[in-house]
Amino acid sequence: MIDRRSLLTLGAGLLAAPALRAQTNAEITVHYAQPQIYKECYDAIAAEFARREPGIRINFITTPNYEEGTQLVLRQAATNQLPDLSYQGFNRLRVFAERGIAQDLAPLLTRDGDPAAQGYTPSLLALAHFGGFQSGLAFAASNPISYYNADLFRRLGVDPDPAAFPKTWDAVIALAARIESERSGTNGMWYQWLGDDWMFSALLFSHGARMLTPDERDVGFAGPEGLASLRLLRRMVTEGGMPNLNATTALQAFAAGKLGMRFGSTAFLRNMIQSTGRNFELRTAHFPQVAADGKLPTGGAAGMLTARDATKREAAWKFLRFSTSAEGTALMAKNTGYVPVNQIAIDDPRHLGEFYRENPLFRTATEQVDRMIPWYAFPGTQSVRVTQVMVDNMARVVEGQATPEVVLPEMAAEVRRLLPRRS
């Protein structure tokens, strides 16, 4: 499903609209996914951009998730109906780079001066570097965090301080079981496992493993770390009492005080705060770790330029540059829960320093930056199908259709068949 809406450049009021339209010298189409998370931040960025660039009109197209966004742009590429700018999940950008749809942004970056001086450090640029070129600019980055009901913890005599939150999954599951044992109609925990492979990779990476082997010829999750990750998912159900909910119903249950702990992307933080309201005190904590050197996947999106017309391309570049600038990334962080992706916004307290002091819930994800590694992008044309295979097999574990010991080799075999053949 695609949702279309048009954002006109802003003026003093409705009476000024005809004059502003007369000034418009470029109109661009911008695609992004997950409006349930991103709409407020894109609207805030577009409003500020309109004040700076009154001659550029933005038409937004949205899709419910990254996977549908990928399929949309691939279809539009086949019919020469591409948007001018598309914000894609980090793990999907590789598809567009390898197919020649994404454009190399390095010449534009250097044309505008030293990228690092503008906040685009090598590590941040690497998040959207695929196909041997700068195929995008990171717009929003996330990592998984722990959300919990501090009032419930207090009632159970559990220390609600984030520093005291369980550090291991054994401790998390034990606490979830304790919440279940109260028989108050509150489930202990919910883990955001469905939708894509991101939260599976969170477990896998925290064990110190990887999705594919370094040469990308075989799966890297078929060993003991992958088995341990699937076993953890099953234990969350059998020992922790995790209900089989989708993201929407899990959010509703948590906001109503019917879930004690929720584990998922920091991207949902703004929604969680708004949904919870004054029902209870919401707190966030670090994601439980397994191996001492375990990592976390970097979720989020990068903007890729697809415009062919020179005027539209320049206008789309201006919007992409502003959205990823220190000012744009500060607006993004304040209106979502994502980690900033511009080094100036991270370092300069004028942008987000006061915000983080006043909003400590948002700091949790920034404290895990040293554990973040790229969200793995599967090679080849079947990357979306690979993700679905993994989700379908996780469902078998969560729903008790098969044991982790049965599912893991079957999941690995299915993924192997979808990997590109290499001579």
Side-chain angles (χ1 to χ4, degrees), residues 136-348:
L137 288 182
F139 169 70
S142 66
N143 55 56
I145 63 173
S146 308
Y147 300 87
Y148 61 100
N149 183 330
D151 291 352
L152 174 62
F153 276 37
R154 292 188 184 96
R155 288 198 298 272
L156 293 174
V158 176
D159 188 347
D161 190 278
F165 191 82
K167 303 296 190 297
T168 68
W169 286 110
D170 285 343
V172 165
I173 291 171
L175 179 54
R178 181 179 172 189
I179 294 171
E180 289 282 324
S181 69
E182 296 293 309
R183 301 190 183 281
S184 61
T186 299
N187 292 114
M189 66 175 295
W190 184 79
Y191 188 85
Q192 184 189 321
W193 62 271
L194 72 176
D196 53 43
D197 57 65
W198 193 63
M199 289 299 284
F200 175 74
S201 69
L203 294 177
L204 187 70
F205 294 172
S206 69
H207 278 88
R210 55 189 301 146
M211 278 293 191
L212 294 189
T213 56
D215 62 5
E216 297 190 324
R217 292 177 180 271
D218 197 9
V219 298
F221 60 79
E225 300 89 356
L227 182 59
S229 298
L230 289 181
R231 283 174 172 167
L232 264 179
L233 271 180
R234 188 59 191 155
R235 287 182 61 204
M236 291 175 188
V237 178
T238 58
E239 299 176 36
M242 181 174 75
N244 191 6
L245 305 175
N246 61 37
T248 299
T249 53
L251 174 59
Q252 293 169 345
F254 184 84
K258 299 300 182 181
L259 272 177
M261 298 175 285
R262 186 184 188 278
F263 301 88
S265 173
T266 185
F268 293 97
L269 180 53
R270 177 65 68 182
N271 284 354
M272 297 280 279
I273 292 171
Q274 293 172 343
S275 299
T276 301
R278 298 184 178 183
N279 294 345
F280 56 84
E281 183 186 358
L282 167 67
R283 288 195 176 183
T284 61
H286 294 174
F287 192 76
Q289 188 67 301
V290 181
D293 60 347
K295 302 299 182 182
L296 294 175
T298 303
M304 67 174 189
L305 203 58
T306 52
R308 303 301 177 185
D309 175 81
T311 301
K312 289 178 177 289
R313 187 169 182 263
E314 188 64 26
W317 171 244
K318 285 182 178 180
F319 185 78
L320 175 56
R321 279 279 285 107
F322 178 70
S323 71
T324 57
S325 68
E327 294 83 2
T329 206
L331 288 170
M332 176 280 301
K334 292 175 182 178
N335 285 282
T336 56
Y338 282 100
V339 176
V341 290
N342 184 286
Q343 197 64 41
I344 296 173
I346 296 170
D347 295 340
D348 192 334

Side-chain angles (χ1 to χ4, degrees), residues 100-153:
I101 296 171
Q103 300 175 18
D104 187 2
L105 302 180
L108 292 170
L109 276 170
T110 55
R111 183 196 71 180
D112 291 351
D114 178 14
Q118 301 163 53
Y120 302 106
T121 60
S123 60
L124 291 172
L125 289 175
L127 291 173
H129 194 280
F130 293 101
F133 64 96
Q134 195 63 46
S135 49
L137 288 182
F139 169 70
S142 66
N143 55 56
I145 63 173
S146 308
Y147 300 87
Y148 61 100
N149 183 330
D151 291 352
L152 174 62
F153 276 37

Side-chain angles (χ1 to χ4, degrees), residues 1-5 30-35 39 60-65 69 72:
M1 183 181 73
I2 307 167
D3 177 56
R4 290 181 176 270
R5 60 192 178 90
V30 177
H31 161 262
Y32 69 89
Q34 300 188 133
K39 184 180 183 301
F60 282 126
I61 299 175
T62 67
T63 50
N65 52 55
L72 168 69

Side-chain angles (χ1 to χ4, degrees), residues 47-70:
E48 180 58 33
F49 179 76
R51 284 189 279 272
R52 300 176 183 222
E53 297 285 348
I56 299 175
R57 174 173 169 169
I58 312 287
N59 294 312
F60 282 126
I61 299 175
T62 67
T63 50
N65 52 55
Y66 291 133
E67 283 64 42
E68 291 188 45
T70 299

